[in-house]
Amino acid sequence: MFRKVSTLLIASLLSFGANAQPKGKREPLVTQEQGSFLVGGTTLTEPGKFEVANALKPQGQTLHGDHAYAFYQIPVKAHKYPLVFLHGAGESKKTWESTPDGREGFQTIFLRRGYGVYLLDQPRRGEAGKSTVATTITPTPDEQFWFTQFRIGNYPDYFPGSQFPKDTAALEQFFRQMTPNTGAFDANIVSNACSKLFDRIGDGILITHSQGGGIGWFTAIKNPKVKAVIAYEPFSSFVFPAGELPKPIQSASLFGELKGVEIPLSDFEKLTRIPIIIYYGDNIADQPTTVWNKDHWRAGLEMAKIWAATINKHGGHAKVVHLPDLGIKGNTHFPFSDLNNLQIADLLSDFLRENNLNK
């Protein structure tokens, strides 16, 4: 499954720890290993006997589905813990690859910094699209909603100082990278597949985005090989111990109030054993407002702070970082691919170093 990548194809070694180069001036990359595989999933079998003469009939045949797809790259002299990247809703592993305007994304930024990287397509999405359940995909013009929901701006206007590239080609690339579910989103199926990945690769660090945030908590609960969780702008599926569920947070969100999820204390306590950090970008309201996208994410940020405080009350190590509080302005829902993504990557590198995860 694993294959060596010939160093004859690449001119020089990685510049570990250095910032990624601007487009057109990048240093060559060298990887020790590169490949892909499918992990997790289930198998359905149709009753009956398979007959070669009637091979188009389902009787006696199988369907393998609901697995995750993983693409990986391991650099020369890699750090001990690889980084596992999980996308959010409507996205795929493309989230972490080249940015919409063609700059390096976290995939190669952190490869250059000496980390093995695993990019996931969750079950029923992207290259893991083989689902065991049916769905109907209806083409729906909704991209201006997503522009607004993801706080690029209030379409057609960009927020002042937005870190999203403002050329039309980049915006088209962004719209085209979105991809549908081929079956209903199921957090248990997705976290099972993520846990199976850690069973296969061993200890590592899980990095999530948006809807993937809840998957991060569930995966860390299921598998002690998750040594840290970094979450970019989670919104739903904040988990709390039984009896400690906070009141729902009301907002002008198009999706209604934000509720937490109650789980057994024994499961919640597993999250207190690893470092966790959550990052949020700019243009999030600091008090209730009728501007629905800003208020939607206000609720998410407030819930995240309540959640982190609950983790820490139980002896954990969770932190919420609102980037404007650090003087970092203009970030959208995709800070890791915004124009200042090297600065955002530096924050992640600092977190890994401070928690002795860069060995």
Side-chain angles (χ1 to χ4, degrees), residues 142-159 171 174-175 178 254-255 282-283 291-297 332-333:
D142 61 0
E143 291 169 349
Q144 286 63 39
F145 158 75
W146 290 113
F147 179 103
T148 307
Q149 167 75 1
F150 291 155
R151 300 193 329 281
I152 297 170
N154 288 322
Y155 192 87
D157 299 319
Y158 291 79
F159 283 131
L171 184 58
F174 174 74
F175 285 152
M178 298 191 69
L254 302 184
F255 299 97
D282 203 352
N283 295 299
V291 182
W292 68 262
N293 54 346
K294 291 187 175 185
D295 212 42
H296 173 93
W297 292 104
T332 71
H333 187 52

Side-chain angles (χ1 to χ4, degrees), residues 82-263:
L83 308 181
V84 177
F85 292 93
L86 177 66
H87 57 79
E91 298 289 324
S92 69
K93 62 183 175 61
K94 180 66 177 76
T95 289
W96 310 102
E97 298 173 354
S98 300
T99 66
D101 61 335
R103 291 169 294 110
E104 288 195 323
F106 271 25
Q107 172 193 8
T108 47
I109 289 173
F110 282 95
L111 187 64
R112 290 186 186 279
R113 297 183 183 191
Y115 291 93
V117 295
Y118 288 79
L119 308 186
L120 294 183
D121 277 349
Q122 71 181 35
R124 305 175 182 174
R125 188 83 59 79
E127 294 193 66
K130 198 173 181 184
S131 172
T132 64
V133 297
T135 193
T136 299
I137 298 174
T138 303
T140 303
D142 61 0
E143 291 169 349
Q144 286 63 39
F145 158 75
W146 290 113
F147 179 103
T148 307
Q149 167 75 1
F150 291 155
R151 300 193 329 281
I152 297 170
N154 288 322
Y155 192 87
D157 299 319
Y158 291 79
F159 283 131
S162 174
Q163 293 282 358
F164 190 92
K166 297 180 179 64
D167 59 286
T168 56
L171 184 58
E172 179 175 348
Q173 285 289 306
F174 174 74
F175 285 152
R176 291 189 182 280
Q177 79 180 38
M178 298 191 69
T179 191
N181 290 326
T182 57
F185 173 78
D186 187 315
N188 190 52
I189 286 175
V190 178
S191 57
N192 281 345
C194 289
S195 180
K196 290 291 185 182
L197 173 76
F198 282 92
D199 285 340
R200 175 164 178 159
I201 69 173
D203 295 346
I205 299 160
L206 182 55
I207 302 172
T208 68
H209 178 227
S210 195
Q211 188 184 57
I215 305 304
W217 325 139
F218 299 141
T219 302
I221 289 169
K222 292 176 179 181
N223 201 316
K225 292 182 173 65
V226 178
K227 296 304 179 185
V229 176
I230 296 93
Y232 290 96
E233 298 220 343
F235 180 78
S236 56
S237 299
F238 283 103
V239 295
F240 292 88
E244 298 184 46
L245 197 64
K247 293 181 179 179
I249 298 176
Q250 306 297 321
S251 76
S253 169
L254 302 184
F255 299 97
E257 64 184 15
L258 176 58
K259 299 179 180 179
V261 177
E262 194 171 65
I263 63 173

Side-chain angles (χ1 to χ4, degrees), residues 254-275:
L254 302 184
F255 299 97
E257 64 184 15
L258 176 58
K259 299 179 180 179
V261 177
E262 194 171 65
I263 63 173
L265 176 61
S266 58
D267 284 342
F268 183 84
E269 287 177 334
K270 295 176 183 178
L271 297 174
T272 69
R273 301 168 189 167
I274 59 174

